[in-house]
Amino acid sequence: MPHFAMVIDLNTCVGCNACMAACAMENQAPVWDKDKWRTYVHDKEIGLGSDVNRRFFPRLCNHCDNPPCMSVCPTGATQKKANGIVFVDQELCMGCRACAMACPYHARVAITSDDMREGREFYGSDYRRTSPSMDKCSFCDHRVEQGIKPACVETCVGSARMFGDLDDPNDPVAQMVASGAARALMPHIGTRPNVYYIDDIKWRG
Amino acid sequence: MDVNMTYATQDIWTWWLAIYLYFGGLGAATLAVTFLTDMYLKPHRHLVIWGAGAGVVLLALGSLMLFGHLLDKTAVLNVLNPMILFRKPDAWIAWGTQFIIWMMVWGVLYALPYVRETDFPRKVPGLRNLIDRPFVVTIGTLVQRFHYTVGWLAVINGVGVAVYTGLLLQSFPAVALWHNPAVPLLFTVSAFSTAMAFLLLLMYTLINDQADEYIRVLYERIDLVLIAAELVILFSLYQYLKNGSESGVRSLELLWNDYGWLIGFIGFGLIVPFVLELKGVIKGWATRVPIITASILVLTGGYLLRYYFMYAGVYAYPW
Ligand code: SF4
Ligand code: SF4
């Protein structure tokens, strides 16, 4: 069984936001509210005076191996697959938002009945959602199960997003993680994330 | 990789969740205290009816706050089913929901024989017919026979609710203010302190009976100890927050620079009632006004604690 993970190289992310758009269309995100996209690219200026770098920082659900969003979920809507993907069963979810409170990575978004109404107008008869619920990145599990990479990875122009199997020693993603070049965010919280970042700042200026 | 952190408070669970936590703790602790008083200190019909009534009404109102904010209200059925505890034993909301339901059930049952003896319910249309139904009479007789068992089942679930309110916040690991063992302790002590205040208020106003003086004195003494314990827990929490993590330091700055927390909650919600009750216990008061004042202050402080806790939780985002 694979153990899926993503590596994001901050050196090559150019902040084009193509990943956001690809994800939104693939997963029918509420594009009318920028706070509700499953993935988001932060744009930050780092440094002082003339020594300033612009950093683009994509964020998404980290598909934690010890996910606090799952343990607090009272309905059992948040579950983890054997391949490491954490997902929300929208039929079970009652939308208490405890998962959003528990997530240290700001990865949860609320899809309300109003969003569903707009969604039906925007996406037309293709709209798949059947009930309001909390939502988050699913690593495009519907694609991954068919052997296709997540939409954001496939569309990334700078190849900043890489997707792979940590249990495969020949997978470049597994190698980048094992070498320490790619690191998890806030590992001290104990969430054991499966999204890793390659730092950009130390290579600059 | 934790560079350029952003610190943010949340706007997901706000004042309404504070009401849920407050009413939950207050209602449950009130029910537990009145039932224990009835079982071991003095059989007290009025106190039990008020305790069970407060437990049920406050818990219902608090739960409505949460229910009203659910995204999909029909899916709540998933947590109302007691079997959820087997599927999700790690989720405190699942435990809390079950504690609340069973506390209400055992609470109403415990109070039933007293309700049947009371005039007021007989004047309420519908209720009179209900409490005289043969099956209700049978249940009342059974409850009387298993008085202590039913009482303890209600008390255990009530204490469960009070502790749960703190455990729920503790289960969010990203926020130092919430994710520490002081929180369940603080919320439990505060729940019982507000329950004492509520009962003192009641016993000095609506059910004011000179024969209950020794119960009032006991409640005052217990409340005094609880407020003292709350101050000690807050002092430890302060020490914990001031070094350790930036999330904690920022929460501390938010709280201890806010007059609502500092003067409103700690000053008027804890220290002033502590002094008023201490004087009452040591020397006594000539009138009931100071203890009524202290009770109102403790009750207000209980809400302020939960309100400020919700707003002062700081997340640290690494971007
Ligand atoms: S990043 Fe947040 S939502 Fe995703 S698995 Fe971890 S805790 Fe859950
Ligand atoms: S909002 Fe849904 S997924 Fe999140 S904790 Fe509540 S029931 Fe679980």
Side-chain angles (χ1 to χ4, degrees), chain A residues 61-64 67-69 86 103-105 107-108 136:
Chain A
C61 169
N62 283 221
H63 295 273
C64 309
C69 63
V86 177
C103 173
Y105 305 103
R108 294 277 181 155
K136 64 172 206 65

Side-chain angles (χ1 to χ4, degrees), chain B residues 8-29:
Chain B
T9 53
Q10 54 85 32
D11 56 5
I12 305 168
W13 280 5
T14 53
W15 61 270
W16 54 270
L17 202 281
I19 290 184
Y20 170 72
L21 299 177
Y22 177 57
F23 281 179
L26 170 59

Side-chain angles (χ1 to χ4, degrees), chain B residues 151-304:
Chain B
W152 271 106
L153 283 168
V155 169
I156 289 168
N157 281 287
V159 173
V161 174
V163 182
Y164 145 72
T165 58
L167 286 170
L168 174 60
L169 275 195
Q170 196 204 28
S171 62
F172 304 142
V175 176
L177 176 68
W178 303 333
H179 188 63
N180 67 79
V183 176
L185 210 55
L186 182 63
F187 276 43
T188 308
V189 170
S190 163
F192 278 89
S193 171
T194 51
M196 291 300 169
F198 178 70
L199 291 171
L200 281 170
L201 193 59
L202 211 59
M203 294 176 83
Y204 275 113
T205 53
L206 296 177
I207 46 175
N208 191 356
D209 183 348
Q210 197 47 42
D212 289 340
E213 184 58 18
Y214 71 105
I215 301 179
R216 286 195 288 246
V217 170
L218 179 67
Y219 283 0
E220 272 173 47
R221 288 182 179 172
I222 294 176
D223 199 23
L224 204 56
V225 174
L226 291 174
I227 296 176
E230 221 172 314
L231 285 166
V232 173
I233 299 169
L234 276 173
F235 180 73
S236 326
L237 190 66
Y238 180 93
Q239 298 303 322
Y240 163 76
L241 293 173
K242 88 181 161 64
N243 299 108
S245 75
E246 186 63 23
S247 159
V249 174
R250 293 200 181 219
S251 289
L252 180 134
E253 284 170 355
L254 282 177
L255 288 175
W256 267 269
N257 286 325
D258 191 308
Y259 288 129
W261 170 266
L262 211 55
I263 296 176
F265 168 55
I266 299 181
F268 283 99
L270 293 176
I271 295 173
V272 172
F274 181 81
V275 172
L276 290 175
E277 287 185 1
L278 187 65
K279 161 107 188 336
V281 166
I282 294 173
K283 291 197 172 158
W285 287 101
T287 75
R288 56 189 173 166
V289 176
I291 300 301
I292 291 180
T293 309
S295 301
I296 293 172
L297 289 176
V298 168
L299 283 168
T300 313
Y303 178 68
L304 285 180

Side-chain angles (χ1 to χ4, degrees), chain B residues 61-79:
Chain B
L61 288 175
S63 303
L64 264 181
M65 282 288 159
L66 185 59
F67 180 75
H69 286 83
L70 294 181
L71 292 172
D72 185 358
K73 299 188 175 45
T74 51
V76 79
L77 290 172
N78 295 320
V79 277

Side-chain angles (χ1 to χ4, degrees), chain A residues 44 70 73 92 94 96 101, chain B residues 6 13 72 78 88 315:
Chain A
K44 286 254 175 172
M70 188 167 88
C73 177
L92 282 179
M94 63 178 181
C96 64
M101 297 289 291
Chain B
T6 308
W13 280 5
D72 185 358
N78 295 320
K88 283 299 298 173
Y315 290 82

Side-chain angles (χ1 to χ4, degrees), chain A residues 10 42 44 46 55 57 59 68 70-76 92-98 100-106 110-112 131-134 183 185-186 188-189 197 199, chain B residues 1-6 10 12-13 16 66 69-73 75-76 78-79 84 87-88 90-94 97 168-169 171-175 178 310 315-319:
Chain A
L10 297 178
H42 291 272
K44 286 254 175 172
I46 297 168
R55 165 187 262 188
F57 194 105
R59 75 165 157 84
M70 188 167 88
S71 48
V72 299
C73 177
T75 59
L92 282 179
C93 174
M94 63 178 181
C96 64
R97 304 170 212 227
M101 297 289 291
C103 173
Y105 305 103
H106 207 301
I111 309 293
T112 62
S131 56
S133 75
M134 285 311 268
R183 291 164 187 266
L185 297 177
M186 302 192 290
H188 60 275
I189 296 181
Y197 290 81
D199 198 355
Chain B
M1 256 313 296
D2 293 352
V3 288
N4 307 107
M5 307 294 287
T6 308
Q10 54 85 32
I12 305 168
W13 280 5
W16 54 270
L66 185 59
H69 286 83
L70 294 181
L71 292 172
D72 185 358
K73 299 188 175 45
V76 79
N78 295 320
V79 277
I84 193 69
R87 277 209 303 133
K88 283 299 298 173
D90 51 348
W92 286 114
I93 294 185
T97 309
L168 174 60
L169 275 195
S171 62
F172 304 142
V175 176
W178 303 333
M310 293 320 301
Y315 290 82
Y317 297 127
W319 46 76

